[in-house]
Amino acid sequence: MTPTKGYAAQGATTPLAPYTFERRDLRPHDVQLDILYCGVCHSDLHTARNEWHGTAYPCVPGHEIVGRVTKVGDHVTKFKVGDLAGIGCLVDSCQECHNCKQGLEQYCEEVATQTYNSPDRVDKSVTLGGYSNLIIAKDDFVLKVSEKLPLEGVAPLLCAGITTYSPMRHWKVGKGHKVGVLGLGGLGHMAVKLAVSFGAEVTMLSTSPSKEADAKRLGAHRFALTKDPEQLKGLGNYFDFIIDTVSAEHDYNMYLGMLNTNGVMICVGAPPTPAQVPAFNLIFQRRSIAGSLIGGLPETQEMLDYCAEHNIVSDVEVIAMKDVNESYERMLKGDVRYRFVIDMATL
Ligand code: NAP
Ligand code: ZN
């Protein structure tokens, strides 16, 4: 066992605080990383505060992990000590079901093992995430990271990047499509960058007037403040796709009305409260409402390689570990530009 330092929530209403624990001895297919950077995802907050229910405490969040390999198990050939590597939201799955066989491990029929708050498939202990100095995962779930890009900007690709890349690839978003991105936070800003890089016309739909200049800098072709009816004029039946990244309760119907015939609203944001959608808002214009969960391992590697080739990283505010609770409060206010990333050297 290896003593490990991290930050954990001990309950739904307690702030994250220093926590020491032990990581397992390496299994033959395990890779151990010293964590350099870990992004702060809104899912970390939902889980730490038990907003989705089912959180096991102590909870060490963090699933946007970039680090350097410090040890490998006897059967590992893909990595060697010193390599850069990444770990996203998954650390294991059955690897045998129909979905796993297709590289859709996120939809594993036996339920994939998440990087935190999931039972380990071997010893049943609860997984603990990337707000820590080191982590161990099975080699098939560890990604290759290019030396080319700034690592603090790469970390958020492991969740915010793949979560927006995967549905856009699935629905073949590209040239000729009008895409609305709802919510300019961690996922939203990656959706803008990626949709623009795929050739789509992108409109940022935001509640924050202060983000207009940034949205344009990120590549959005237009910006609409969703609280101002004047700015929504002309957006009825407009979009082919809306990527909804909103983390809190909101009215889906207002945005469904912005979809053109056959338009798809892709929900990646996961508010704890259910949506209310009258069938009429889908029947007219044959609209769909869909969801998408992160991405599988092959597609996550493809996305990392694509971002390295196209020079795409997350816009980050690097923080010290001790400031993680404050970053949660700022995230709740929409005050994130556009991902907090913890510098693990500060732990
Ligand atoms: P984030 O950085 O906090 O961004 C969310 C953005 O939503 C905010 O910046 C804000 O943008 C907007 N927003 C917040 N409250 C709102 C409200 N009441 N009404 C309208 N807009 C609001 O969060 P994130 O890390 O991007 O995560 C977003 C959501 O995706 C979370 O629920 C997270 O759990 C979920 N998620 C899902 C997956 C998946 O696999 N599907 C993966 C990762 C995360 P504006 O200021 O521009 O309005
Ligand atoms: Zn995430």
Side-chain angles (χ1 to χ4, degrees):
M1 303 290 260
T2 309
T4 305
K5 286 193 294 184
Y7 258 54
Q10 296 288 348
T13 56
T14 54
L16 293 158
Y19 174 63
T20 49
F21 57 101
E22 306 238 294
R23 295 282 190 196
R24 64 174 182 250
D25 293 330
L26 263 64
R27 299 169 188 154
H29 277 283
D30 276 347
V31 176
Q32 180 173 319
L33 309 188
D34 263 358
I35 300 178
L36 297 168
Y37 294 101
C38 183
V40 176
C41 178
H42 208 113
S43 303
D44 301 349
L45 186 160
H46 289 310
T47 307
R49 299 188 177 179
N50 200 24
E51 291 177 356
W52 290 332
H53 310 293
T55 303
Y57 295 99
C59 170
V60 177
H63 57 205
E64 294 185 335
I65 299 162
V66 167
R68 250 186 224 283
V69 175
T70 49
K71 277 187 196 171
V72 293
D74 291 343
H75 293 179
V76 175
T77 53
K78 192 171 134 193
F79 292 97
K80 57 178 192 320
V81 170
D83 285 352
L84 276 180
I87 295 175
C89 304
L90 303 177
V91 287
D92 205 356
S93 72
C94 84
Q95 299 189 281
E96 281 174 2
C97 72
H98 181 68
N99 286 336
C100 285
K101 287 273 189 233
Q102 295 183 81
L104 294 171
E105 296 88 348
Q106 74 275 36
Y107 306 123
C108 173
E109 288 163 16
E110 290 185 13
V111 183
T113 310
Q114 310 265 335
T115 304
Y116 58 82
N117 199 42
S118 255
D120 178 81
R121 300 188 105 75
V122 178
D123 64 22
K124 310 294 171 216
S125 64
V126 176
T127 54
L128 300 171
Y131 296 2
S132 58
N133 64 327
L134 69 94
I135 190 159
I136 294 165
K138 194 190 258 184
D139 51 0
D140 287 340
F141 292 80
V142 182
L143 288 309
K144 299 254 185 201
V145 168
S146 155
E147 301 269 352
K148 228 176 86 180
L149 298 174
L151 294 180
E152 62 275 24
V154 171
L157 302 180
L158 274 305
C159 174
I162 186 59
T163 301
T164 48
Y165 182 93
S166 182
M168 284 198 270
R169 286 311 202 200
H170 176 75
W171 275 281
K172 301 185 169 53
V173 170
K175 241 187 164 44
H177 286 139
K178 295 191 176 86
V179 175
V181 175
L182 184 53
L184 189 50
L187 268 57
H189 92 292
M190 289 313 307
V192 171
K193 287 188 186 209
L194 291 167
V196 168
S197 83
F198 297 156
E201 182 209 285
V202 178
T203 301
M204 187 65 229
L205 302 164
S206 171
T207 61
S208 306
S210 63
K211 294 180 182 172
E212 178 165 0
D214 281 341
K216 302 244 169 89
R217 180 180 53 77
L218 294 166
H221 303 92
R222 58 197 277 188
F223 178 93
L225 188 63
T226 51
K227 293 186 279 199
D228 178 3
E230 273 301 306
Q231 295 194 29
L232 299 181
K233 279 193 179 147
L235 292 181
N237 296 0
Y238 184 78
F239 296 111
D240 300 295
F241 299 97
I242 291 177
I243 301 171
D244 180 345
T245 76
V246 173
S247 51
E249 188 168 358
H250 58 292
D251 181 11
Y252 290 70
N253 299 293
M254 172 172 153
Y255 307 104
L256 282 172
M258 296 181 189
L259 287 176
N260 202 353
T261 313
N262 298 322
V264 185
M265 178 150 170
I266 303 167
C267 298
V268 287
T273 40
Q276 297 255 357
V277 177
F280 280 109
N281 288 350
L282 301 171
I283 291 168
F284 285 96
Q285 309 306 326
R286 193 162 58 194
R287 297 173 177 123
S288 309
I289 187 161
S292 186
L293 177 67
I294 46 172
L297 272 298
E299 195 172 49
T300 304
Q301 190 63 62
E302 175 192 306
M303 176 275 310
L304 287 171
D305 298 345
Y306 176 88
C307 289
E309 192 186 327
H310 293 85
N311 248 322
I312 296 173
V313 283
S314 175
D315 287 25
V316 302
E317 181 175 337
V318 176
I319 59 166
M321 186 72 250
K322 68 174 175 45
D323 296 328
V324 67
N325 293 303
E326 190 195 328
S327 79
Y328 278 17
E329 293 311 317
R330 285 182 55 194
M331 199 158 55
L332 281 174
K333 287 188 238 149
D335 177 20
V336 46
R337 293 201 163 62
Y338 280 88
R339 194 56 133 190
F340 294 109
V341 172
I342 303 160
D343 177 356
M344 226 36 87
T346 63
L347 179 61

